[in-house]
Amino acid sequence: MASVLASTPAPGTAGGRPAFSIERILGLGLERPGSCLKLHRPWTGGRQLNSSRPTSNWYIGRRPRTAFTNSQVNVLETVFQVNCYPGIQLREQLAARLDLDEDRIQIWFQNRRAKLRRSLRETRLQLVQTAVADLGVRGRVKAERGDQRLEEEEEEEEEEA
């Protein structure tokens, strides 16, 4: 059974190659970018906190915030434009290529999707507000026209009488 599983390509692959590979998305070869900086991760080594600033008890076991470089963000944004729900294989490829943890990449995509939903929601709200404002202006214009017509009709009735 193990030999059968090993010989069949994984789902979402084309000829044993992932359907969404970083190289295909970015149009690059297999070389690693030299511009990506290695980030400082003191929590991956020993349990030492060698920070010079004072920390509260709440902060002691907490993982420091990941600082993405511009080149890492550019690659992640490019991949997001093609596939906003990357599978584990693509996330692992990104992790290896960008020198990040796979779980940080997964969280980045979750946050980016939330940002996209929020911007779409704000755009829809602005469209509704614009439409309501336009209706309000049109309503006032129609009301003013209606008032003018009423005044004209009243004047005509007075002239007839």
Side-chain angles (χ1 to χ4, degrees):
M1 170 116 177
S3 63
V4 172
L5 292 175
S7 65
T8 58
T13 60
R17 232 178 135 197
F20 288 108
S21 72
I22 299 167
E23 286 75 23
R24 281 189 190 170
I25 292 171
L26 298 176
L28 301 174
L30 295 173
E31 74 280 351
R32 288 188 61 140
S35 61
C36 291
L37 302 174
K38 180 151 177 65
L39 299 177
H40 177 63
R41 294 191 188 103
W43 66 91
T44 58
R47 292 286 299 163
Q48 297 176 344
L49 291 174
N50 53 2
S51 176
S52 60
R53 66 178 188 203
T55 59
S56 66
N57 288 337
W58 170 80
Y59 191 79
I60 286 178
R62 192 171 163 94
R63 185 192 59 76
R65 181 181 176 121
T66 301
F68 294 98
T69 64
N70 286 339
S71 60
Q72 289 170 333
V73 172
N74 289 339
V75 169
L76 291 169
E77 284 288 345
T78 304
V79 173
F80 185 82
Q81 295 299 320
V82 175
N83 183 7
C84 62
Y85 287 94
I88 183 67
Q89 287 180 332
L90 183 58
R91 290 195 311 264
E92 286 176 347
Q93 287 177 359
L94 281 168
R97 184 174 188 84
L98 300 177
D99 195 28
L100 292 168
D101 295 333
E102 184 272 331
D103 61 337
R104 297 296 97 205
I105 292 174
Q106 183 177 16
I107 297 299
W108 186 92
F109 276 91
Q110 287 175 355
N111 291 339
R112 184 61 181 84
R113 289 190 300 267
K115 180 180 176 182
L116 178 64
R117 285 191 300 270
R118 186 175 58 245
S119 73
L120 291 174
R121 188 170 47 242
E122 289 171 357
T123 302
R124 284 192 303 260
L125 177 63
Q126 287 176 347
L127 287 173
V128 168
Q129 288 173 339
T130 304
V132 168
D134 288 347
L135 287 175
V137 168
R138 290 181 187 152
R140 275 187 258 130
V141 168
K142 286 182 180 179
E144 290 172 5
R145 288 181 187 164
D147 290 344
Q148 289 174 351
R149 288 182 185 155
L150 285 175
E151 290 173 5
E152 290 172 1
E153 289 174 4
E154 289 173 358
E155 289 175 5
E156 289 175 5
E157 289 175 2
E158 289 175 3
E159 290 175 4
E160 291 177 0

